[in-house]
């Protein structure tokens, strides 16, 4: 049954994982997302649905446990925050190479290094440009509400299995920690081995019966000509995802002649900026990418035919702005407004920046 | 003059079969150097899995090292893990498939250097898996660099004048280390360079898989093996050197039963 609750973003994601019929969660504590594993350990989903929850000895171990479980055809996930995600990247690259579905949540904090435990958005490049080694992409979903923290678990697994590729929820410490009303989905059954084969194909390591060849999960090909064919196959999948999976929200963009682009916490602030600006008579709108990869290039390019300029609002020194620039194709000016180190911008300072940019045009 | 032509099938029919290729080994030619211990170890593991009748219920984890291609030779479902992470990968498998048999197959660099943490913690949780640990005292795959198990004074491409323990540390007896952990049910050190030792190693592997069946916790079997190429010796020389040097530092026998 659906249920309405007041929950933290991290807890909503954890509860949604149980309800999505996730088979296993492996994690290692780090602020600001430790509530995910704390909630799961408290809820004991192994009693509710049979879901496995295990605290690993490191993020390295956790992502490799996800690798093992995912390669069995199971829905496996992990979550962490910035420094922990850096440790997971080798494993994430292996999973993309070996075509394994899984869900990874990054509840970002400010970096670099140990940085701060306050919210940040400075792992954008790491998430959308590959991050680990080799040519690969993650499908990256950016929630801006507690509701989306919950909803993107099921969506994330759908996409992960559809493309046999890791999916990342790129959130931040503010959304992970804030409490909001959330409508929790109905409980889904965990799939049996037979159902997994029926839905997703017979590629997982489940134990080799005489009737089939052995299933091998690997990202290795010592012959470069074969490795290139494999890489081309991965690239074809990414092209299909770029065509079919772009998601975004437009807020008052129809008549806007200046557009803010923002995701996550910055999108919440920017929504307020749009409201304040409109009250002042500024025709501004917000484009909120929901998928950061694939990036909503086409709509931004279309908006650039009418709008006079764009402002990328991020809690970073300017990362997403590069993708906005590429999408705008030089048609109009693109600017960046950012706070760093765990600082969250106030709507009024963003509005000031918007007015300054508009005056420059 | 006439010659009688006998086909292989007729030869087989005539004699009694006393020795066969293990069903669970594929027909692929092994990529190992002639004389290398990996091939024998592969065969033993697959022989045991076959004889226990658990081939359709077993999932292996291959390492990064010379045995990275184990999945080409072992005819079962296998996952290839990142360097050192096999025990974590095996944990992921075993936790979602507690009724299936899971084993890792790892070299000393993989298990006792880059993967030390995963090894110790999998053992400490008492993951109900089998760890097959090939200790050849060197990094075979990457061309003979120093391993955590390289003997004092032993030459390698990164200890060209011999391992200096004062600056490079001592050979790590990781099997003894994990044997102290309550999660470990069975820790033993074996070898496969003589027929007699092969028989003993096979018994150890059977015991390890039996432990997994009985849900006893982690079983680790260290196999002290030669790397004739990395050691720059002939296979025969390397076996002699193994006997005289490796086994002096890494004595054979059960460490925990
Ligand atoms: C992260 C990472 N670091 C280093 C390597 C390079 N590398 C591949 S195999 C290996 C050592 C293998 O030695 P060992 O585990 O002793 O196995 P052997 O080849 O001797 O059987 C190294 C260092 C790698 N593949 N990945
Ligand atoms: S390099 Fe050493 S360990 Fe590798 S196959 Fe050759 S002899 Fe065996």
């Amino acid at each position: 049954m659906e249920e309405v609750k007041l929950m933290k973003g991290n807890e909503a994601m954890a509860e949604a994982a149980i309800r999505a019929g996730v088979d296993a969660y492996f994690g290692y504590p780090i602020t600001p997302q430790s509530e995910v594993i704390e909630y799961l350990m408290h809820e004991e989903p192994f009693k509710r649905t049979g879901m496995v929850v295990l605290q690993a000895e490191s993020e390295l171990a956790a992502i490799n446990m996800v690798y093992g479980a995912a390669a069995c055809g199971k829905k496996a996930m992990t979550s962490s925050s910035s420094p922990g995600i850096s440790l997971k990247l080798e494993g994430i690259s292996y999973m993309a190479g070996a075509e394994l579905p899984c869900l990874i949540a990054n509840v970002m904090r400010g970096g670099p290094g140990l940085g701060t435990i306050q919210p940040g958005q400075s792992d954008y490049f790491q998430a959308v440009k590959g991050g680990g080694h080799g040519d690969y992409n993650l499908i990256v979903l950016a929630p801006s509400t507690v509701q989306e923290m919950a909803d993107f678990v099921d969506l994330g697994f759908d996409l992960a299995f559809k493309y046999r590729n890791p999916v990342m929820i790129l959130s931040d410490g503010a959304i992970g920690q804030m409490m909001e009303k959330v409508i929790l989905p109905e409980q889904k059954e965990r799939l049996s081995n037979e159902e997994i084969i029926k839905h997703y194909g017979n590629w997982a390591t489940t134990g080799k019966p005489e009737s089939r060849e052995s299933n091998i999960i690997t990202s290795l090909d010592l012959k470069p000509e074969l490795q290139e064919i494999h890489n081309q196959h991965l690239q074809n999948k990414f092209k299909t995802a770029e065509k079919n999976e772009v998601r975004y929200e437009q807020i008052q963009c129809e008549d806007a002649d200046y557009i803010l682009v923002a995701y996550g916490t910055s999108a919440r602030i920017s929504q307020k900026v749009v409201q304040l600006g409109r009250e002042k008579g500024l025709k501004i709108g917000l484009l909120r990418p929901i998928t950061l990869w694939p990036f909503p290039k086409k709509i931004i390019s279309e908006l650039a035919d009418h709008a006079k300029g764009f402002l990328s609002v991020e809690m970073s020194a300017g990362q997403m702005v590069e993708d906005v620039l590429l999408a705008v194709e030089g048609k109009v000016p693109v600017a960046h407004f950012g706070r760093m180190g765990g600082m969250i911008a106030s709507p009024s300072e963003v509005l000031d920046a918007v007015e300054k940019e508009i005056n420059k045009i | 003059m006439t010659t009688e032509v006998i086909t292989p099938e007729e030869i087989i029919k005539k004699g009694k079969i006393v020795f066969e290729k293990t069903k669970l080994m594929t027909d692929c030619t092994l990529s190992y150097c002639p004389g290398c211990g990996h091939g024998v170890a592969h065969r033993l593991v697959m022989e045991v899995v076959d004889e226990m009748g658990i081939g359709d219920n077993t999932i292996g984890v291959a390492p990064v090292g010379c045995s990275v291609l184990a999945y080409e030779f072992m005819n079962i479902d296998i996952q290839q893990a990142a360097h050192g992470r096999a025990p974590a990968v095996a944990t992921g498998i075993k936790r979602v498939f507690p009724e299936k048999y899971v084993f890792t197959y790892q070299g000393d660099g993989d298990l006792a250097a880059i993967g030390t943490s995963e090894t110790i913690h999998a053992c400490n949780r008492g993951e109900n898996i089998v760890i097959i640990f090939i200790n050849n005292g060197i990094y075979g795959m990457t061309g003979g660099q120093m391993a955590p198990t390289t003997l004092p004074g032993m030459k390698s491409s990164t200890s060209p004048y011999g391992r200096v323990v004062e600056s490079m540390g001592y050979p790590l007896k990781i099997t003894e280390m994990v044997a102290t952990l309550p999660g470990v049910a069975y820790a033993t050190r074996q070898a496969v360079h003589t027929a007699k030792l092969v028989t003993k190693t096979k018994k150890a592997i059977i015991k390890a898989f039996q432990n997994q069946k009985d849900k006893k916790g982690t079983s680790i079997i260290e196999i002290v093996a030669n790397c004739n190429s990395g050691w720059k010796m002939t296979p025969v020389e390397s076996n002699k050197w193994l006997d005289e040097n490796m086994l002096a530092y890494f004595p054979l026998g059960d460490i925990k039963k």
Side-chain angles (χ1 to χ4, degrees):
Chain A
M1 228 187 45
E2 278 190 0
E3 208 179 332
V4 184
K5 276 197 167 172
L6 185 68
M7 286 181 114
K8 275 191 178 191
N10 288 333
E11 294 171 350
M13 184 169 70
E15 177 60 33
I18 304 173
R19 290 177 184 236
V22 171
D23 296 291
Y25 172 93
F26 303 98
Y28 185 83
I30 181 169
T31 310
Q33 66 77 56
S34 297
E35 292 85 357
V36 181
I37 190 165
E38 286 170 352
Y39 182 92
L40 289 172
M41 285 299 188
H42 186 261
E43 274 303 305
E44 303 188 303
F46 22 96
K47 294 183 185 159
R48 267 169 69 179
T49 66
M51 175 183 175
V52 171
V53 188
L54 184 62
Q55 179 170 333
E57 64 271 28
S58 69
E59 289 86 352
L60 268 177
I63 191 69
N64 285 287
M65 291 172 185
V66 169
Y67 182 105
C72 295
K74 301 289 185 180
K75 285 186 184 170
M77 75 177 282
T78 182
S79 63
S80 186
S81 180
S82 311
I85 298 293
S86 294
L87 278 178
K88 288 185 198 289
L89 286 172
E90 181 203 40
I92 293 173
S93 165
Y94 267 71
M95 293 190 79
E99 298 199 78
L100 294 178
C102 75
L103 184 65
I104 305 134
N106 181 0
V107 183
M108 286 183 281
R109 54 194 249 180
L114 193 52
T116 166
I117 57 170
Q118 300 304 324
Q121 291 184 317
S122 46
D123 305 345
Y124 177 89
F125 282 153
Q126 189 196 54
V128 308
K129 307 288 179 195
H133 57 288
D135 283 321
Y136 76 92
N137 283 100
L138 300 176
I139 295 175
V140 182
L141 301 169
S144 72
T145 59
V146 170
Q147 185 65 53
E148 284 185 338
M149 283 291 271
D151 293 346
F152 288 178
V153 174
D154 204 30
L155 172 64
F157 274 107
D158 278 350
L159 293 169
F161 275 87
K162 184 169 167 191
Y163 292 95
R164 274 184 65 185
N165 198 66
V167 170
M168 178 175 276
I169 294 181
L170 190 69
S171 183
D172 61 65
I175 295 173
Q177 293 294 326
M178 74 169 59
M179 289 188 91
E180 269 183 338
K181 190 185 91 175
V182 55
I183 304 168
L184 294 166
E186 285 183 29
Q187 179 66 54
K188 271 194 186 178
E189 293 283 320
R190 285 174 53 236
L191 297 182
S192 67
N193 294 342
E194 293 69 36
E195 287 168 319
I196 290 168
I197 291 172
K198 203 174 116 211
H199 290 309
Y200 304 125
N202 196 354
W203 51 263
T205 56
T206 52
K208 177 197 172 301
E210 298 236 359
S211 54
R212 69 156 163 81
E213 296 288 296
S214 55
N215 282 344
I216 292 161
I217 301 296
T218 181
S219 56
L220 171 77
D221 226 311
L222 288 173
K223 295 194 184 80
E225 53 277 19
L226 295 182
Q227 183 70 48
E228 189 180 45
I229 291 170
H230 175 67
N231 286 12
Q232 195 52 58
H233 161 70
L234 297 182
Q235 291 305 316
N236 294 344
K237 285 198 311 189
F238 298 140
K239 286 220 172 66
T240 312
E242 278 191 290
K243 212 160 55 200
N244 298 332
E245 307 303 342
V246 174
R247 287 166 171 80
Y248 55 84
E249 184 188 9
Q250 296 188 72
I251 295 163
Q252 294 188 273
C253 286
E254 308 75 40
D255 64 338
D257 50 31
Y258 195 81
I259 301 208
L260 284 74
V261 185
Y263 67 97
T265 292
S266 295
R268 297 172 73 103
I269 294 155
S270 298
Q271 195 167 352
K272 185 76 185 164
V273 175
V274 170
Q275 187 202 325
L276 296 174
R278 290 265 167 181
E279 282 166 13
K280 280 178 120 177
L282 295 173
K283 277 166 89 183
I284 58 177
L286 167 66
L287 180 96
R288 176 172 80 90
I290 293 173
T291 50
L292 293 173
W293 195 94
F295 193 68
K297 288 186 224 166
K298 193 159 155 272
I299 181 70
I300 291 180
S301 172
E302 284 166 17
L303 290 170
D305 292 334
H306 311 287
K308 295 197 184 73
F310 287 79
L311 181 72
S312 179
V313 183
E314 312 167 52
M315 296 190 290
S316 78
Q319 301 194 5
M320 184 177 68
V321 64
E322 292 194 2
D323 285 332
V324 180
L325 264 165
L326 283 171
V328 165
E329 296 168 302
K331 293 175 191 167
V332 290
V334 175
H336 164 258
F337 179 85
R339 295 294 304 262
M340 295 182 283
M343 294 301 291
I344 300 179
S346 71
S348 62
E349 65 179 319
V350 180
L351 186 59
D352 286 350
V354 169
E355 290 184 293
K356 222 161 68 201
E357 292 301 331
I358 290 175
N359 288 338
K360 274 197 223 161
I361 300 167
Chain B
M1 205 175 76
T2 54
T3 16
E4 198 193 348
V5 183
I6 310 174
T7 65
E9 287 75 22
E10 280 171 315
I11 296 173
I12 291 167
K13 233 188 275 167
K14 279 181 186 166
K16 186 168 149 259
I17 297 170
V18 289
F19 193 71
E20 261 187 311
K21 186 177 137 275
T22 312
K23 197 172 85 229
L24 291 184
M25 288 292 281
T26 65
D27 290 331
C28 283
T29 310
L30 290 176
S31 54
Y32 302 110
C33 308
C36 169
H38 270 304
V40 184
H42 273 34
R43 188 203 149 96
L44 284 180
V45 177
M46 285 301 95
E47 210 170 80
V48 169
V49 170
D50 189 18
E51 286 168 14
M52 287 178 76
I54 56 172
D56 58 351
N57 219 9
T58 298
I59 299 162
V61 184
V64 176
C66 277
S67 46
V68 65
L69 291 176
Y71 53 76
E72 297 212 336
F73 315 125
M74 299 183 179
N75 201 11
I76 56 166
D77 282 0
I78 296 198
Q79 302 184 15
Q80 196 281 313
H83 196 20
R85 316 296 169 220
V89 170
T91 299
I93 303 170
K94 190 69 186 183
R95 293 298 178 121
V96 296
F97 281 152
E99 302 308 322
K100 296 193 193 277
Y101 293 85
V102 181
F103 73 90
T104 71
Y105 185 102
Q106 304 173 257
D108 42 71
D110 195 83
L111 181 141
I114 194 166
T116 313
S117 169
E118 284 76 6
T119 303
I120 289 179
H121 286 279
C123 288
N124 192 46
R125 287 188 301 268
E127 294 296 338
N128 192 27
I129 58 173
V130 173
I131 296 174
I132 308 285
F133 165 32
I134 309 297
N135 175 6
N136 57 19
I138 206 157
Y139 286 7
M141 188 192 208
T142 39
Q145 295 85 4
M146 184 176 70
T149 45
T150 297
L151 297 182
M154 182 175 164
K155 286 184 180 159
S156 73
S157 66
T158 52
S159 58
Y161 308 108
R163 182 177 190 152
V164 182
V165 290
E166 289 78 11
S167 62
M168 299 168 180
Y170 293 83
L172 190 65
K173 292 184 176 174
I174 198 161
T175 308
E176 275 88 345
M177 281 170 65
V178 297
T180 64
L181 302 171
V184 171
Y186 177 45
T188 186
R189 186 178 289 118
Q190 303 289 335
V192 290
H193 60 293
T194 70
K196 206 168 147 199
L197 290 169
V198 165
T199 312
K200 275 186 143 178
T201 303
K202 184 172 171 184
K203 279 199 186 123
I205 299 173
I206 293 171
K207 179 170 166 154
F209 276 92
Q210 189 60 44
N211 281 348
Q212 187 168 169
K213 190 174 187 181
D214 300 338
K215 299 190 170 30
K216 286 197 172 154
T218 316
S219 296
I220 178 166
I221 298 172
E222 175 176 336
I223 299 174
V224 182
N226 61 334
C227 169
N228 39 294
S229 293
W231 297 356
K232 306 204 182 322
M233 295 175 194
T234 66
V236 174
E237 281 165 4
S238 71
N239 286 345
K240 189 158 176 277
W241 195 86
L242 186 156
D243 251 336
E244 289 166 3
N245 298 278
M246 289 291 279
L247 298 189
Y249 195 94
F250 297 109
L252 300 184
D254 288 343
I255 299 160
K256 183 175 191 177
K257 325 193 222 194

